[in-house]
Amino acid sequence: MLIAIGSDHTGVYYKSLIISFLTKIGCKIKDFGFSEHGKAVDYPDFIHPTAEFVNEGKADFGIIICGTGNGAAMIANKYKKIRAALVWNKEVAFLARKHNDANIISLPARFLDKNEILEITETFLITNFEGGRHKIRISKIPIQNYPQ
Ligand code: RB5
């Protein structure tokens, strides 16, 4: 499984933690930065390339990180094939896959601890989309598909 990951300065530590965890469980990683400590950057510069990579089908899933998770999710959801979910615990991660077939999770670095970050990441990657009624619902997300 190939995972694309990108963050701004708020996610530097968690991004490296996630990369170590994913590498250990056999995933391949495409790291779009940011990776320096002690310097502030603009989150769009790192989230756009990550989302674009997933949108083009070059990665199975994406993980994006900023302070609140909101700016990163807003960017990723501009891409046609992206369903990015703002996720703050493992139950939300589970439902983001199960019901929304999310292909990117957006993590709020300023509001999560190390254990929560790893629990969320693992849950996101091991949970399958339920399909059925949720397939109909996600088909209505694109604005051009609604009203039908
Ligand atoms: C950076 O301070 C912060 O604005 C950014 O990480 C993010 O929370 C934006 O949505």
Side-chain angles (χ1 to χ4, degrees):
M1 192 182 279
L2 176 61
I3 311 296
I5 189 164
S7 79
D8 70 0
H9 52 287
T10 66
V12 170
Y13 168 69
Y14 287 149
K15 182 166 68 63
S16 66
L17 191 77
I18 292 168
I19 290 173
S20 309
F21 169 71
L22 292 179
T23 305
K24 242 178 250 162
I25 62 168
C27 293
K28 296 209 178 326
I29 310 295
K30 176 74 181 169
D31 182 1
F32 286 94
F34 179 66
S35 301
E36 283 172 45
H37 291 279
K39 189 182 159 199
V41 292
D42 298 333
Y43 58 88
D45 297 340
F46 304 90
I47 305 305
H48 272 296
T50 311
E52 191 178 13
F53 196 75
V54 179
N55 190 58
E56 287 171 353
K58 293 177 179 166
D60 298 286
F61 293 109
I63 299 175
I64 53 179
I65 314 167
C66 70
T68 60
N70 271 325
M74 287 175 191
I75 291 169
N77 281 316
K78 296 287 178 199
Y79 291 81
K80 214 173 159 194
K81 295 182 187 159
I82 298 300
R83 283 180 304 282
L86 173 59
V87 170
W88 59 91
N89 64 32
K90 69 175 178 184
E91 289 78 15
V92 176
F94 178 79
L95 291 170
R97 285 289 308 128
K98 203 101 189 135
H99 288 185
N100 310 117
D101 199 17
N103 49 9
I104 290 187
I105 44 168
S106 185
L107 301 171
R110 294 198 201 278
F111 300 91
L112 294 175
D113 65 27
K114 188 177 153 179
N115 291 335
E116 290 167 324
I117 287 275
L118 294 179
E119 263 181 3
I120 289 169
T121 301
E122 185 181 25
T123 304
F124 176 64
L125 295 180
I126 64 173
T127 306
N128 291 319
F129 180 46
E130 194 176 300
R133 66 189 191 282
H134 297 293
K135 198 171 175 189
I136 298 168
R137 290 168 188 171
I138 66 166
S139 78
K140 294 183 184 180
I141 293 175
I143 202 152
Q144 65 271 24
N145 295 354
Y146 190 82
Q148 286 178 320

